[in-house]
Amino acid sequence: MTETASKRLLVLGAGTAGTMVANKVLHKLPDWSVTVIDRDDVHDYQPGYLFIPFGMNTPKQIRKTSSHFVDSKANLVFGELTKIDPHAQSVALSDGRSFEYDYLVIATGTTPRPDQTPGMLGDEWHRSVGEFYTYEGSVSLSRRLADMTSGKLVVHICELPIKCPVAPLEFAFLADDFFRRKGVRDAIDITFVTPLDGAFTKPVASRELGALLEQKNIHVEPDFMVESIDQEAHLLMSYDGREVPYDQLVTVPVNMGADVIAASGLGDELNYVPVDKHTMRSTEFDTIFALGDAGNLPTSKAGSVAHFSVEVWLDNFIDLVSGKPMSEAFDGHANCFVETGNGKALLLDFNYETEPLTGTFPLPKVGPMHLLRESKANHAGKLAFRHIYWHALLPGRPLGLPAAMSMSGKEVPPAVETVTKPNIPTF
Amino acid sequence: MPTTTIAGRTLDVNEEGFMTNPEQWDEALGAELAKLIGVDMTEAHWAPIRFLRSDFAVQHETPTLRRVSTQAGIPVKDLFALFPGKPAKKMAYVAGLPKPKGCV
């Protein structure tokens, strides 16, 4: 046991990061007082939202109670957060309760905000204007897709960053597979509308994923910044005057951090807490950390990032409360399975410095997983992860996956030839 | 690191032609860069470019369209009118800054 004065840790949010933090801290610092505050007692396995519309997970498999997963030694509180006072080191709830802390972990995640795009909310919300980033949205889409036999399906990203940035691509791939199995794929157009200039942000992954989209006859509408949605005309409209018609829209609304972060003056323009990218410590307040999707780390907002960064954070936190300098640095490691349909998936493994590359994972040549290439083993890995999540990850058991990314098995592309006379960029 | 010559100045650029050394930039050069991509700079154009430069100096990152619109108070619609098509990239080019990172 580590020798530290027993203190109070307050954790905002009982999602992936918050639950792991509470459980891991109480394991290492059993004398600490740990309080976890969440809005309600619901914990969803969020990667399952992608599978529900296609009947690959049932709603029951992905929804459980939070209290079941948070260490019973923690004080689990339900309520609406209204204000964080970083100077007084206290947090207020809408019902008048307040909680003081010695250290605060903000793990309030990121939330889809359909109110940010004119015309998105309205009578057709969760009908012809669908989404799969909430439980309700996902369940309603399963009914919509089951009934769809022809027309235009448009999968759309409003703005980055979003939680799990590969999920919209996966949705398009799974929809292709779903309609193919139903025998109606020929009668359904699938279009992928993105604010990026290609399938993905990074060159190698964009090339590989772009090729898959083409192969599956999914049309890409790039550089599309949505201005509004016309629910009556069934049109998606961009700032530069383009219109994309749809029969069924599957949009990913603007994602934003929690309102309490904005109300407390702790966030950037999207309510994310500015943090040091290696320690997840607030750049403003030494007693505040933001973990999971709540901070502004320049890597994917994803469960794997929450997982790896919490492990690094824990080692640092033990250092810190023992009066030592924090010795670990998070590298931005993300590890994401990308469902591509037909019982296959590919795998992305990357960090701040290294973009997703091709190769094998975790071992050179033998894998068994393939990076950026479709395989059944990758798909099996993705499906199995739900069990690992509930039974090992949330309780804080070690998974045997190193937090730091490894270059082992990765194929490094040759350096780009030096351009002596660069062109003027094409826009 | 490739270089290029614009308006008689030797500039460090990346393979796409975006400047990689913000120190080599001034507004006279910005106006030249704008011409190369077909933009005639007016005061309305300079407002977001000046915001990009001052924000980059503090954040060390090129601001996104959302950040320009919320922090500098210039509606996204106006940015599209000033720098048609791809305002985020065009503004970064004119301001001599890296392309804003599409987050992974």
PDB file of all heavy atoms in Angstrom, chain A residues 159 165 197 201-202 223 227 239 269-270 300 350 419-420 422-423 425 427, chain B residues 2-3 13 16-17 37 66-67 70 76-77 80 86 89 93 102-104:
ATOM      1  N   GLU A 159     -19.357  17.482 -37.787  1.00  0.00           N
ATOM      2  CA  GLU A 159     -18.176  18.254 -37.438  1.00  0.00           C
ATOM      3  C   GLU A 159     -17.287  17.395 -36.552  1.00  0.00           C
ATOM      4  O   GLU A 159     -17.777  16.581 -35.778  1.00  0.00           O
ATOM      5  CB  GLU A 159     -18.666  19.484 -36.653  1.00  0.00           C
ATOM      6  CG  GLU A 159     -17.616  20.511 -36.327  1.00  0.00           C
ATOM      7  CD  GLU A 159     -18.246  21.734 -35.642  1.00  0.00           C
ATOM      8  OE1 GLU A 159     -19.380  22.122 -35.990  1.00  0.00           O
ATOM      9  OE2 GLU A 159     -17.594  22.283 -34.746  1.00  0.00           O
ATOM     10  N   PRO A 165     -14.432   8.167 -33.985  1.00  0.00           N
ATOM     11  CA  PRO A 165     -14.547   8.740 -35.333  1.00  0.00           C
ATOM     12  C   PRO A 165     -14.655   7.723 -36.464  1.00  0.00           C
ATOM     13  O   PRO A 165     -15.027   8.085 -37.573  1.00  0.00           O
ATOM     14  CB  PRO A 165     -13.259   9.565 -35.477  1.00  0.00           C
ATOM     15  CG  PRO A 165     -12.326   9.045 -34.443  1.00  0.00           C
ATOM     16  CD  PRO A 165     -13.170   8.521 -33.321  1.00  0.00           C
ATOM     17  N   ASP A 197     -11.635  15.729 -46.097  1.00  0.00           N
ATOM     18  CA  ASP A 197     -11.445  15.668 -47.548  1.00  0.00           C
ATOM     19  C   ASP A 197     -11.340  14.240 -48.067  1.00  0.00           C
ATOM     20  O   ASP A 197     -11.071  14.011 -49.242  1.00  0.00           O
ATOM     21  CB  ASP A 197     -10.237  16.518 -47.982  1.00  0.00           C
ATOM     22  CG  ASP A 197      -8.965  16.133 -47.279  1.00  0.00           C
ATOM     23  OD1 ASP A 197      -8.955  15.060 -46.635  1.00  0.00           O
ATOM     24  OD2 ASP A 197      -7.985  16.890 -47.354  1.00  0.00           O
ATOM     25  N   THR A 201      -8.952  10.876 -41.514  1.00  0.00           N
ATOM     26  CA  THR A 201      -8.073  12.036 -41.366  1.00  0.00           C
ATOM     27  C   THR A 201      -6.643  11.761 -41.789  1.00  0.00           C
ATOM     28  O   THR A 201      -5.975  12.650 -42.293  1.00  0.00           O
ATOM     29  CB  THR A 201      -8.042  12.476 -39.892  1.00  0.00           C
ATOM     30  OG1 THR A 201      -7.752  11.329 -39.089  1.00  0.00           O
ATOM     31  CG2 THR A 201      -9.371  13.047 -39.498  1.00  0.00           C
ATOM     32  N   LYS A 202      -6.156  10.554 -41.579  1.00  0.00           N
ATOM     33  CA  LYS A 202      -4.743  10.289 -41.793  1.00  0.00           C
ATOM     34  C   LYS A 202      -4.532   9.558 -43.122  1.00  0.00           C
ATOM     35  O   LYS A 202      -5.350   8.724 -43.504  1.00  0.00           O
ATOM     36  CB  LYS A 202      -4.185   9.454 -40.636  1.00  0.00           C
ATOM     37  CG  LYS A 202      -4.369  10.126 -39.298  1.00  0.00           C
ATOM     38  CD  LYS A 202      -3.426  11.302 -39.144  1.00  0.00           C
ATOM     39  CE  LYS A 202      -3.671  12.000 -37.827  1.00  0.00           C
ATOM     40  NZ  LYS A 202      -2.738  13.082 -37.575  1.00  0.00           N
ATOM     41  N   ASP A 223     -15.601  17.160 -47.829  1.00  0.00           N
ATOM     42  CA  ASP A 223     -15.532  18.604 -47.574  1.00  0.00           C
ATOM     43  C   ASP A 223     -16.916  19.220 -47.410  1.00  0.00           C
ATOM     44  O   ASP A 223     -17.179  20.322 -47.886  1.00  0.00           O
ATOM     45  CB  ASP A 223     -14.799  19.324 -48.720  1.00  0.00           C
ATOM     46  CG  ASP A 223     -13.320  18.977 -48.744  1.00  0.00           C
ATOM     47  OD1 ASP A 223     -12.661  19.120 -47.697  1.00  0.00           O
ATOM     48  OD2 ASP A 223     -12.833  18.550 -49.810  1.00  0.00           O
ATOM     49  N   GLU A 227     -24.840  23.118 -43.030  1.00  0.00           N
ATOM     50  CA  GLU A 227     -25.378  24.364 -42.474  1.00  0.00           C
ATOM     51  C   GLU A 227     -26.736  24.097 -41.834  1.00  0.00           C
ATOM     52  O   GLU A 227     -27.024  24.595 -40.757  1.00  0.00           O
ATOM     53  CB  GLU A 227     -25.520  25.429 -43.564  1.00  0.00           C
ATOM     54  CG  GLU A 227     -26.012  26.749 -43.000  1.00  0.00           C
ATOM     55  CD  GLU A 227     -26.066  27.865 -44.035  1.00  0.00           C
ATOM     56  OE1 GLU A 227     -25.941  27.571 -45.242  1.00  0.00           O
ATOM     57  OE2 GLU A 227     -26.236  29.034 -43.631  1.00  0.00           O
ATOM     58  N   TYR A 239     -22.758  24.790 -46.227  1.00  0.00           N
ATOM     59  CA  TYR A 239     -22.447  26.218 -46.293  1.00  0.00           C
ATOM     60  C   TYR A 239     -22.082  26.673 -47.700  1.00  0.00           C
ATOM     61  O   TYR A 239     -22.261  27.827 -48.036  1.00  0.00           O
ATOM     62  CB  TYR A 239     -21.288  26.534 -45.338  1.00  0.00           C
ATOM     63  CG  TYR A 239     -21.711  26.681 -43.907  1.00  0.00           C
ATOM     64  CD1 TYR A 239     -21.450  25.686 -42.979  1.00  0.00           C
ATOM     65  CD2 TYR A 239     -22.373  27.833 -43.468  1.00  0.00           C
ATOM     66  CE1 TYR A 239     -21.825  25.828 -41.649  1.00  0.00           C
ATOM     67  CE2 TYR A 239     -22.763  27.983 -42.143  1.00  0.00           C
ATOM     68  CZ  TYR A 239     -22.481  26.976 -41.236  1.00  0.00           C
ATOM     69  OH  TYR A 239     -22.863  27.119 -39.933  1.00  0.00           O
ATOM     70  N   GLU A 269     -14.041  25.912 -26.877  1.00  0.00           N
ATOM     71  CA  GLU A 269     -15.262  26.258 -27.617  1.00  0.00           C
ATOM     72  C   GLU A 269     -16.222  25.077 -27.758  1.00  0.00           C
ATOM     73  O   GLU A 269     -17.366  25.245 -28.139  1.00  0.00           O
ATOM     74  CB  GLU A 269     -14.911  26.865 -28.980  1.00  0.00           C
ATOM     75  CG  GLU A 269     -14.192  25.946 -29.953  1.00  0.00           C
ATOM     76  CD  GLU A 269     -12.688  25.846 -29.710  1.00  0.00           C
ATOM     77  OE1 GLU A 269     -12.196  26.422 -28.707  1.00  0.00           O
ATOM     78  OE2 GLU A 269     -12.016  25.176 -30.498  1.00  0.00           O
ATOM     79  N   LEU A 270     -15.756  23.855 -27.474  1.00  0.00           N
ATOM     80  CA  LEU A 270     -16.654  22.703 -27.523  1.00  0.00           C
ATOM     81  C   LEU A 270     -16.846  22.094 -26.121  1.00  0.00           C
ATOM     82  O   LEU A 270     -17.233  20.940 -25.983  1.00  0.00           O
ATOM     83  CB  LEU A 270     -16.101  21.642 -28.490  1.00  0.00           C
ATOM     84  CG  LEU A 270     -16.272  21.954 -29.979  1.00  0.00           C
ATOM     85  CD1 LEU A 270     -15.432  21.021 -30.833  1.00  0.00           C
ATOM     86  CD2 LEU A 270     -17.735  21.864 -30.404  1.00  0.00           C
ATOM     87  N   SER A 300      -8.064  10.258 -30.737  1.00  0.00           N
ATOM     88  CA  SER A 300      -9.472   9.889 -30.858  1.00  0.00           C
ATOM     89  C   SER A 300     -10.183   9.922 -29.512  1.00  0.00           C
ATOM     90  O   SER A 300      -9.610   9.567 -28.492  1.00  0.00           O
ATOM     91  CB  SER A 300      -9.596   8.473 -31.422  1.00  0.00           C
ATOM     92  OG  SER A 300      -9.310   8.454 -32.779  1.00  0.00           O
ATOM     93  N   PHE A 350      -2.691   3.378 -33.182  1.00  0.00           N
ATOM     94  CA  PHE A 350      -1.919   4.593 -33.473  1.00  0.00           C
ATOM     95  C   PHE A 350      -1.761   5.431 -32.213  1.00  0.00           C
ATOM     96  O   PHE A 350      -2.339   5.122 -31.167  1.00  0.00           O
ATOM     97  CB  PHE A 350      -2.603   5.409 -34.577  1.00  0.00           C
ATOM     98  CG  PHE A 350      -4.024   5.794 -34.284  1.00  0.00           C
ATOM     99  CD1 PHE A 350      -4.344   7.065 -33.815  1.00  0.00           C
ATOM    100  CD2 PHE A 350      -5.060   4.891 -34.480  1.00  0.00           C
ATOM    101  CE1 PHE A 350      -5.663   7.422 -33.542  1.00  0.00           C
ATOM    102  CE2 PHE A 350      -6.377   5.239 -34.207  1.00  0.00           C
ATOM    103  CZ  PHE A 350      -6.676   6.501 -33.750  1.00  0.00           C
ATOM    104  N   VAL A 419      10.089  17.385 -52.004  1.00  0.00           N
ATOM    105  CA  VAL A 419       9.558  18.151 -53.131  1.00  0.00           C
ATOM    106  C   VAL A 419      10.378  19.432 -53.234  1.00  0.00           C
ATOM    107  O   VAL A 419      10.513  20.168 -52.263  1.00  0.00           O
ATOM    108  CB  VAL A 419       8.076  18.499 -52.880  1.00  0.00           C
ATOM    109  CG1 VAL A 419       7.491  19.213 -54.068  1.00  0.00           C
ATOM    110  CG2 VAL A 419       7.292  17.250 -52.548  1.00  0.00           C
ATOM    111  N   THR A 420      10.966  19.655 -54.367  1.00  0.00           N
ATOM    112  CA  THR A 420      11.791  20.846 -54.471  1.00  0.00           C
ATOM    113  C   THR A 420      10.948  22.063 -54.818  1.00  0.00           C
ATOM    114  O   THR A 420      11.181  23.152 -54.333  1.00  0.00           O
ATOM    115  CB  THR A 420      12.893  20.676 -55.533  1.00  0.00           C
ATOM    116  OG1 THR A 420      12.305  20.048 -56.663  1.00  0.00           O
ATOM    117  CG2 THR A 420      14.017  19.824 -54.987  1.00  0.00           C
ATOM    118  N   PRO A 422       7.294  22.913 -54.413  1.00  0.00           N
ATOM    119  CA  PRO A 422       5.936  22.556 -54.009  1.00  0.00           C
ATOM    120  C   PRO A 422       4.905  23.370 -54.780  1.00  0.00           C
ATOM    121  O   PRO A 422       5.148  24.537 -55.093  1.00  0.00           O
ATOM    122  CB  PRO A 422       5.892  22.926 -52.526  1.00  0.00           C
ATOM    123  CG  PRO A 422       7.252  23.361 -52.168  1.00  0.00           C
ATOM    124  CD  PRO A 422       8.004  23.670 -53.401  1.00  0.00           C
ATOM    125  N   ASN A 423       3.830  22.744 -55.067  1.00  0.00           N
ATOM    126  CA  ASN A 423       2.753  23.447 -55.756  1.00  0.00           C
ATOM    127  C   ASN A 423       2.001  24.316 -54.771  1.00  0.00           C
ATOM    128  O   ASN A 423       2.129  24.170 -53.566  1.00  0.00           O
ATOM    129  CB  ASN A 423       1.785  22.433 -56.351  1.00  0.00           C
ATOM    130  CG  ASN A 423       2.471  21.558 -57.350  1.00  0.00           C
ATOM    131  OD1 ASN A 423       3.318  22.026 -58.113  1.00  0.00           O
ATOM    132  ND2 ASN A 423       2.131  20.272 -57.322  1.00  0.00           N
ATOM    133  N   PRO A 425      -1.215  24.769 -52.898  1.00  0.00           N
ATOM    134  CA  PRO A 425      -2.179  23.718 -52.558  1.00  0.00           C
ATOM    135  C   PRO A 425      -3.445  23.814 -53.406  1.00  0.00           C
ATOM    136  O   PRO A 425      -3.862  24.910 -53.778  1.00  0.00           O
ATOM    137  CB  PRO A 425      -2.511  23.985 -51.086  1.00  0.00           C
ATOM    138  CG  PRO A 425      -1.635  25.067 -50.630  1.00  0.00           C
ATOM    139  CD  PRO A 425      -0.892  25.639 -51.776  1.00  0.00           C
ATOM    140  N   PHE A 427      -7.348  23.554 -53.635  1.00  0.00           N
ATOM    141  CA  PHE A 427      -8.449  23.659 -52.676  1.00  0.00           C
ATOM    142  C   PHE A 427      -9.752  23.207 -53.301  1.00  0.00           C
ATOM    143  O   PHE A 427     -10.002  23.450 -54.443  1.00  0.00           O
ATOM    144  CB  PHE A 427      -8.598  25.106 -52.194  1.00  0.00           C
ATOM    145  CG  PHE A 427      -7.460  25.550 -51.318  1.00  0.00           C
ATOM    146  CD1 PHE A 427      -6.474  26.364 -51.814  1.00  0.00           C
ATOM    147  CD2 PHE A 427      -7.367  25.127 -50.008  1.00  0.00           C
ATOM    148  CE1 PHE A 427      -5.429  26.790 -51.001  1.00  0.00           C
ATOM    149  CE2 PHE A 427      -6.312  25.535 -49.203  1.00  0.00           C
ATOM    150  CZ  PHE A 427      -5.345  26.379 -49.705  1.00  0.00           C
TER     151      PHE A 427
ATOM    152  N   PRO B   2      11.305  20.918 -47.880  1.00  0.00           N
ATOM    153  CA  PRO B   2      11.273  21.702 -49.108  1.00  0.00           C
ATOM    154  C   PRO B   2      11.120  23.203 -48.852  1.00  0.00           C
ATOM    155  O   PRO B   2      10.631  23.606 -47.804  1.00  0.00           O
ATOM    156  CB  PRO B   2      10.051  21.160 -49.851  1.00  0.00           C
ATOM    157  CG  PRO B   2       9.267  20.387 -48.873  1.00  0.00           C
ATOM    158  CD  PRO B   2      10.123  20.079 -47.694  1.00  0.00           C
ATOM    159  N   THR B   3      11.583  23.969 -49.808  1.00  0.00           N
ATOM    160  CA  THR B   3      11.374  25.415 -49.737  1.00  0.00           C
ATOM    161  C   THR B   3      10.754  25.881 -51.051  1.00  0.00           C
ATOM    162  O   THR B   3      10.784  25.162 -52.051  1.00  0.00           O
ATOM    163  CB  THR B   3      12.697  26.168 -49.536  1.00  0.00           C
ATOM    164  OG1 THR B   3      13.553  25.868 -50.637  1.00  0.00           O
ATOM    165  CG2 THR B   3      13.374  25.804 -48.233  1.00  0.00           C
ATOM    166  N   VAL B  13       8.237  25.145 -46.593  1.00  0.00           N
ATOM    167  CA  VAL B  13       6.862  24.681 -46.800  1.00  0.00           C
ATOM    168  C   VAL B  13       6.810  23.158 -46.679  1.00  0.00           C
ATOM    169  O   VAL B  13       7.843  22.490 -46.747  1.00  0.00           O
ATOM    170  CB  VAL B  13       6.326  25.081 -48.201  1.00  0.00           C
ATOM    171  CG1 VAL B  13       6.104  26.580 -48.296  1.00  0.00           C
ATOM    172  CG2 VAL B  13       7.263  24.605 -49.300  1.00  0.00           C
ATOM    173  N   GLU B  16       2.584  19.936 -49.391  1.00  0.00           N
ATOM    174  CA  GLU B  16       1.380  20.514 -50.001  1.00  0.00           C
ATOM    175  C   GLU B  16       1.536  21.998 -50.319  1.00  0.00           C
ATOM    176  O   GLU B  16       0.673  22.596 -50.951  1.00  0.00           O
ATOM    177  CB  GLU B  16       0.190  20.364 -49.052  1.00  0.00           C
ATOM    178  CG  GLU B  16      -0.447  19.011 -49.053  1.00  0.00           C
ATOM    179  CD  GLU B  16      -1.645  19.006 -48.127  1.00  0.00           C
ATOM    180  OE1 GLU B  16      -1.448  18.854 -46.911  1.00  0.00           O
ATOM    181  OE2 GLU B  16      -2.757  19.203 -48.620  1.00  0.00           O
ATOM    182  N   GLY B  17       2.613  22.612 -49.816  1.00  0.00           N
ATOM    183  CA  GLY B  17       2.812  24.031 -50.066  1.00  0.00           C
ATOM    184  C   GLY B  17       2.433  24.934 -48.899  1.00  0.00           C
ATOM    185  O   GLY B  17       2.525  26.163 -49.012  1.00  0.00           O
ATOM    186  N   ILE B  37      -4.129  32.030 -54.395  1.00  0.00           N
ATOM    187  CA  ILE B  37      -5.318  31.159 -54.369  1.00  0.00           C
ATOM    188  C   ILE B  37      -6.580  31.948 -54.744  1.00  0.00           C
ATOM    189  O   ILE B  37      -7.700  31.542 -54.446  1.00  0.00           O
ATOM    190  CB  ILE B  37      -5.494  30.446 -53.004  1.00  0.00           C
ATOM    191  CG1 ILE B  37      -5.624  31.458 -51.845  1.00  0.00           C
ATOM    192  CG2 ILE B  37      -4.327  29.506 -52.738  1.00  0.00           C
ATOM    193  CD1 ILE B  37      -6.127  30.826 -50.550  1.00  0.00           C
ATOM    194  N   ARG B  66     -15.116  26.443 -36.144  1.00  0.00           N
ATOM    195  CA  ARG B  66     -15.962  26.701 -34.978  1.00  0.00           C
ATOM    196  C   ARG B  66     -15.269  27.657 -34.015  1.00  0.00           C
ATOM    197  O   ARG B  66     -15.879  28.573 -33.472  1.00  0.00           O
ATOM    198  CB  ARG B  66     -16.309  25.399 -34.255  1.00  0.00           C
ATOM    199  CG  ARG B  66     -17.037  25.627 -32.928  1.00  0.00           C
ATOM    200  CD  ARG B  66     -17.478  24.343 -32.307  1.00  0.00           C
ATOM    201  NE  ARG B  66     -18.591  23.770 -33.043  1.00  0.00           N
ATOM    202  CZ  ARG B  66     -19.865  24.017 -32.755  1.00  0.00           C
ATOM    203  NH1 ARG B  66     -20.194  24.826 -31.767  1.00  0.00           N
ATOM    204  NH2 ARG B  66     -20.819  23.454 -33.453  1.00  0.00           N
ATOM    205  N   ARG B  67     -13.975  27.439 -33.825  1.00  0.00           N
ATOM    206  CA  ARG B  67     -13.247  28.289 -32.897  1.00  0.00           C
ATOM    207  C   ARG B  67     -13.185  29.733 -33.418  1.00  0.00           C
ATOM    208  O   ARG B  67     -13.376  30.682 -32.666  1.00  0.00           O
ATOM    209  CB  ARG B  67     -11.839  27.735 -32.648  1.00  0.00           C
ATOM    210  CG  ARG B  67     -11.111  28.480 -31.561  1.00  0.00           C
ATOM    211  CD  ARG B  67      -9.877  27.738 -31.058  1.00  0.00           C
ATOM    212  NE  ARG B  67      -9.100  28.597 -30.187  1.00  0.00           N
ATOM    213  CZ  ARG B  67      -9.333  28.737 -28.878  1.00  0.00           C
ATOM    214  NH1 ARG B  67     -10.276  28.044 -28.297  1.00  0.00           N
ATOM    215  NH2 ARG B  67      -8.611  29.560 -28.151  1.00  0.00           N
ATOM    216  N   THR B  70     -16.720  31.202 -32.871  1.00  0.00           N
ATOM    217  CA  THR B  70     -17.118  31.494 -31.489  1.00  0.00           C
ATOM    218  C   THR B  70     -16.189  32.506 -30.822  1.00  0.00           C
ATOM    219  O   THR B  70     -16.647  33.385 -30.107  1.00  0.00           O
ATOM    220  CB  THR B  70     -17.182  30.220 -30.623  1.00  0.00           C
ATOM    221  OG1 THR B  70     -15.915  29.562 -30.680  1.00  0.00           O
ATOM    222  CG2 THR B  70     -18.247  29.267 -31.096  1.00  0.00           C
ATOM    223  N   VAL B  76     -19.759  31.310 -39.413  1.00  0.00           N
ATOM    224  CA  VAL B  76     -19.188  30.367 -40.374  1.00  0.00           C
ATOM    225  C   VAL B  76     -19.624  30.718 -41.792  1.00  0.00           C
ATOM    226  O   VAL B  76     -18.844  30.648 -42.747  1.00  0.00           O
ATOM    227  CB  VAL B  76     -19.584  28.917 -40.011  1.00  0.00           C
ATOM    228  CG1 VAL B  76     -19.128  27.941 -41.082  1.00  0.00           C
ATOM    229  CG2 VAL B  76     -18.977  28.530 -38.662  1.00  0.00           C
ATOM    230  N   LYS B  77     -20.873  31.129 -41.921  1.00  0.00           N
ATOM    231  CA  LYS B  77     -21.404  31.513 -43.237  1.00  0.00           C
ATOM    232  C   LYS B  77     -20.527  32.604 -43.867  1.00  0.00           C
ATOM    233  O   LYS B  77     -20.220  32.562 -45.058  1.00  0.00           O
ATOM    234  CB  LYS B  77     -22.840  32.021 -43.053  1.00  0.00           C
ATOM    235  CG  LYS B  77     -23.583  32.277 -44.340  1.00  0.00           C
ATOM    236  CD  LYS B  77     -24.221  30.996 -44.845  1.00  0.00           C
ATOM    237  CE  LYS B  77     -24.941  31.203 -46.175  1.00  0.00           C
ATOM    238  NZ  LYS B  77     -25.174  29.925 -46.858  1.00  0.00           N
ATOM    239  N   PHE B  80     -17.243  31.267 -45.171  1.00  0.00           N
ATOM    240  CA  PHE B  80     -17.411  30.624 -46.477  1.00  0.00           C
ATOM    241  C   PHE B  80     -17.519  31.660 -47.594  1.00  0.00           C
ATOM    242  O   PHE B  80     -17.074  31.428 -48.714  1.00  0.00           O
ATOM    243  CB  PHE B  80     -18.637  29.702 -46.484  1.00  0.00           C
ATOM    244  CG  PHE B  80     -18.322  28.296 -46.081  1.00  0.00           C
ATOM    245  CD1 PHE B  80     -18.323  27.928 -44.748  1.00  0.00           C
ATOM    246  CD2 PHE B  80     -17.990  27.333 -47.025  1.00  0.00           C
ATOM    247  CE1 PHE B  80     -18.022  26.627 -44.366  1.00  0.00           C
ATOM    248  CE2 PHE B  80     -17.681  26.032 -46.660  1.00  0.00           C
ATOM    249  CZ  PHE B  80     -17.693  25.677 -45.322  1.00  0.00           C
ATOM    250  N   LYS B  86     -13.300  26.014 -49.182  1.00  0.00           N
ATOM    251  CA  LYS B  86     -12.648  25.386 -48.026  1.00  0.00           C
ATOM    252  C   LYS B  86     -12.011  26.447 -47.132  1.00  0.00           C
ATOM    253  O   LYS B  86     -10.796  26.617 -47.126  1.00  0.00           O
ATOM    254  CB  LYS B  86     -11.585  24.405 -48.507  1.00  0.00           C
ATOM    255  CG  LYS B  86     -12.162  23.306 -49.385  1.00  0.00           C
ATOM    256  CD  LYS B  86     -11.127  22.282 -49.748  1.00  0.00           C
ATOM    257  CE  LYS B  86     -11.711  21.262 -50.702  1.00  0.00           C
ATOM    258  NZ  LYS B  86     -10.754  20.199 -51.028  1.00  0.00           N
ATOM    259  N   LYS B  89      -8.924  25.631 -44.620  1.00  0.00           N
ATOM    260  CA  LYS B  89      -7.618  25.414 -45.247  1.00  0.00           C
ATOM    261  C   LYS B  89      -7.103  26.686 -45.906  1.00  0.00           C
ATOM    262  O   LYS B  89      -5.915  26.998 -45.841  1.00  0.00           O
ATOM    263  CB  LYS B  89      -7.721  24.291 -46.285  1.00  0.00           C
ATOM    264  CG  LYS B  89      -7.785  22.922 -45.639  1.00  0.00           C
ATOM    265  CD  LYS B  89      -7.975  21.830 -46.675  1.00  0.00           C
ATOM    266  CE  LYS B  89      -8.749  20.691 -46.066  1.00  0.00           C
ATOM    267  NZ  LYS B  89      -9.311  19.789 -47.059  1.00  0.00           N
ATOM    268  N   TYR B  93      -3.666  28.717 -45.040  1.00  0.00           N
ATOM    269  CA  TYR B  93      -2.651  28.961 -46.066  1.00  0.00           C
ATOM    270  C   TYR B  93      -2.260  30.442 -46.101  1.00  0.00           C
ATOM    271  O   TYR B  93      -1.079  30.783 -46.081  1.00  0.00           O
ATOM    272  CB  TYR B  93      -3.184  28.520 -47.440  1.00  0.00           C
ATOM    273  CG  TYR B  93      -2.189  28.729 -48.552  1.00  0.00           C
ATOM    274  CD1 TYR B  93      -1.062  27.916 -48.655  1.00  0.00           C
ATOM    275  CD2 TYR B  93      -2.368  29.761 -49.485  1.00  0.00           C
ATOM    276  CE1 TYR B  93      -0.128  28.123 -49.676  1.00  0.00           C
ATOM    277  CE2 TYR B  93      -1.442  29.966 -50.495  1.00  0.00           C
ATOM    278  CZ  TYR B  93      -0.321  29.146 -50.590  1.00  0.00           C
ATOM    279  OH  TYR B  93       0.593  29.357 -51.587  1.00  0.00           O
ATOM    280  N   GLY B 102      -7.468  17.707 -38.630  1.00  0.00           N
ATOM    281  CA  GLY B 102      -8.706  16.955 -38.474  1.00  0.00           C
ATOM    282  C   GLY B 102      -8.403  15.986 -37.362  1.00  0.00           C
ATOM    283  O   GLY B 102      -7.448  15.246 -37.461  1.00  0.00           O
ATOM    284  N   CYS B 103      -9.163  16.038 -36.279  1.00  0.00           N
ATOM    285  CA  CYS B 103      -8.838  15.140 -35.167  1.00  0.00           C
ATOM    286  C   CYS B 103      -9.080  13.703 -35.587  1.00  0.00           C
ATOM    287  O   CYS B 103     -10.005  13.426 -36.313  1.00  0.00           O
ATOM    288  CB  CYS B 103      -9.674  15.476 -33.941  1.00  0.00           C
ATOM    289  SG  CYS B 103      -9.046  16.925 -33.118  1.00  0.00           S
ATOM    290  N   VAL B 104      -8.232  12.803 -35.137  1.00  0.00           N
ATOM    291  CA  VAL B 104      -8.423  11.392 -35.473  1.00  0.00           C
ATOM    292  C   VAL B 104      -9.454  10.789 -34.535  1.00  0.00           C
ATOM    293  O   VAL B 104      -9.768  11.389 -33.534  1.00  0.00           O
ATOM    294  CB  VAL B 104      -7.127  10.583 -35.415  1.00  0.00           C
ATOM    295  CG1 VAL B 104      -6.241  10.979 -36.565  1.00  0.00           C
ATOM    296  CG2 VAL B 104      -6.440  10.745 -34.100  1.00  0.00           C
TER     297      VAL B 104
END
